[in-house]
Structures are given as C-alpha cells and as structure tokens.
C-alpha cells in the first residue's frame, strides 16, 4: 500500500464524479468499519481471565462479525452492480409510446434490486449493532469507547443505506411492493437506531 496504512482506492473512487461507488457503497463501507472496530473490542477481550465467563460467546461474536464484514464488502460491489441497470434505464430513449413503455418496464425492474441491496446493507448493519451491544456490555472496559464508536458507525451505515431505499421506492409504480420495502426499512431503522443510541448513551455514562 505504498507505505500507507489505508488503501485509498475506494475513497478516491467515491470522491470522483463516477456514479459508483456512491451512497450505498459508502453505507456498506461504514458498516465494515463498524464491524472491524467491534471485532477489535472482542480481540482485546478474548483470552483474558477477567472475561473468562464470556469467552465462548465472545469467540462466537468474532466469527459473526467477520461474516458480516465479508458480506458488507460484497455488498459494496453488489450496490454498484444494482445501479448499472437503473442508470441504463434512466438513459433509455422516450420519444415514442413504445420507447416510453420499454423504458418504464426496464426502470421498474431495476428499482427492485436498487431497493433490495440497501435493505440488505441495513439488515447487516443491524447485526453489527447487535454485536456492539454485546461488546459494550461484556467486552474489555479498556475498549469501551471503541464499542460505542462502532455502534455509532453502524447506525450511520443503517441510516445512510435507508436513503437509497427512500429515493428508489419513490419511483416505483407498484405501490404494494413500495410499501413493503418502506415497512422493512422503517422496522430496521427503529430497531437498529434504538439499540445504537442505547449503546452510545451507556458508554458516555460509563466513561464520564
């Protein structure tokens, strides 16, 4: 990495005028950071006699966090792939009735994946938040602030991904499908944000 700790390829691509990676990819990336930070808390806890009673659960959480991290990394690419047909549909000709019908059909089909990928990012971010709850309660007190920071990052990932759902369901003709996606989004937001806020408040209280 040319002597740098951070590989900036993704960051530079995100900062460019290219449409992808965009908000969805950035959301997943934030979730990756949250998962990694929560894993650090776990890795600082395992093997310590003081936390022997949670050793087995801590090991299991680390395995789950590694899985969520891998999944979120894959979702960065999936989000970019989901955007391609959406962008193509928006660029289709609309001069005749036939062209408008074809454009509309392509757009409606593309909107499905454009909603389902960010919803998956949201669901996975909630899983990370659940791990943050455990890390804050049972992880090494030396890394308590890191558990709180991980929860904040995971909440950001959750909320940021929801915006992709909002914008895409707004273009859906299928009102029932759009409502279903909205309900999924709102349920994930409600559950995840409440947990993350609780972790943050608890960490601030214990650190003060």
């Amino acid at each position: 990495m040319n002597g740098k700790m951070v590989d900036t390829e993704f960051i530079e691509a995100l900062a460019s005028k290219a449409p992808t990676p965009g908000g969805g990819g950035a959301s997943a990336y934030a979730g990756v950071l949250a998962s990694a930070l929560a894993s650090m808390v776990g890795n600082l806890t395992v093997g310590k006699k003081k936390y022997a009673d949670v050793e087995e659960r801590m090991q299991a959480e680390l395995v789950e966090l590694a899985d969520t991290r891998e999944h979120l990394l894959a979702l960065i690419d999936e989000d970019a792939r989901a955007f391609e047909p959406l962008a193509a549909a928006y660029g289709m000709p609309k001069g005749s009735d036939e062209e408008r019908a074809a454009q509309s059909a392509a757009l409606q089909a593309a909107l499905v994946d454009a909603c389902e990928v960010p919803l998956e990012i949201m669901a996975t971010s909630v899983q990370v938040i659940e791990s943050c709850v455990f890390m804050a309660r049972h992880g090494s007190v030396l890394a308590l602030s890191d558990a709180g920071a991980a929860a904040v990052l995971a909440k950001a990932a959750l909320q940021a991904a929801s915006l992709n759902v909002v914008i895409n369901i707004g273009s859906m003709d299928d009102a029932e499908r759009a409502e279903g996606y909205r309900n999924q989004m709102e349920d994930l937001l409600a559950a995840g944000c409440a947990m993350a806020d609780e972790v943050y408040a608890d960490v601030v209280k214990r650190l003060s």
Side-chain angles (χ1 to χ4, degrees):
M1 293 190 290
N2 298 322
K4 296 181 181 179
M5 180 176 287
V6 177
D7 184 348
T8 59
E9 182 180 354
F10 175 80
I11 304 301
E12 289 165 358
L14 187 63
S16 74
K17 64 181 180 180
T20 57
S27 302
Y29 194 83
V32 170
L33 293 176
S35 175
L37 191 55
S39 292
M40 187 190 81
V41 179
N43 282 316
L44 287 170
T45 306
V46 295
K48 302 293 176 61
K49 291 182 180 179
K50 181 179 179 180
Y51 304 101
D53 58 332
V54 294
E55 175 79 15
E56 186 174 342
R57 173 72 186 277
M58 194 65 66
Q59 292 282 9
E61 288 292 337
L62 284 169
V63 171
E64 183 173 336
L65 283 165
D67 289 342
T68 58
R69 198 154 56 247
E70 183 177 347
H71 188 40
L72 285 164
L73 283 169
L75 285 168
I76 294 175
D77 293 329
E78 285 189 33
D79 182 75
R81 283 195 292 270
F83 181 78
E84 290 176 4
L86 189 64
Y90 277 118
M92 289 173 66
K94 292 173 281 189
S96 66
D97 288 344
E98 291 79 6
E99 287 176 340
R100 283 190 290 273
Q103 190 270 343
S104 178
L107 175 62
Q108 295 306 311
L111 285 168
V112 173
D113 280 346
C115 284
E116 291 187 351
V117 173
L119 280 168
E120 184 64 20
I121 293 171
M122 292 181 70
T124 310
S125 296
V126 170
Q127 292 178 342
V128 176
I129 293 171
E130 290 170 345
S131 291
C132 292
V133 172
F134 179 80
M135 293 300 173
R137 291 176 180 170
H138 303 289
S140 171
V141 294
L142 298 176
L144 179 59
S145 63
D146 298 298
V152 171
L153 287 169
K155 179 187 175 184
L158 174 67
Q159 291 180 303
S162 75
L163 297 176
N164 274 16
V165 181
V166 172
I167 191 172
N168 289 317
I169 61 178
S171 298
M172 279 191 168
D173 292 338
D174 187 337
E176 185 176 353
R177 184 188 290 273
E179 185 65 17
Y181 285 150
R182 183 181 297 279
N183 289 338
Q184 289 181 55
M185 176 193 72
E186 291 178 348
D187 288 347
L188 289 166
L189 280 173
C193 289
M195 283 190 292
D197 289 345
E198 183 179 343
V199 171
Y200 177 78
D202 179 60
V203 169
V204 169
K205 182 179 179 180
R206 290 165 62 190
L207 290 175
S208 300

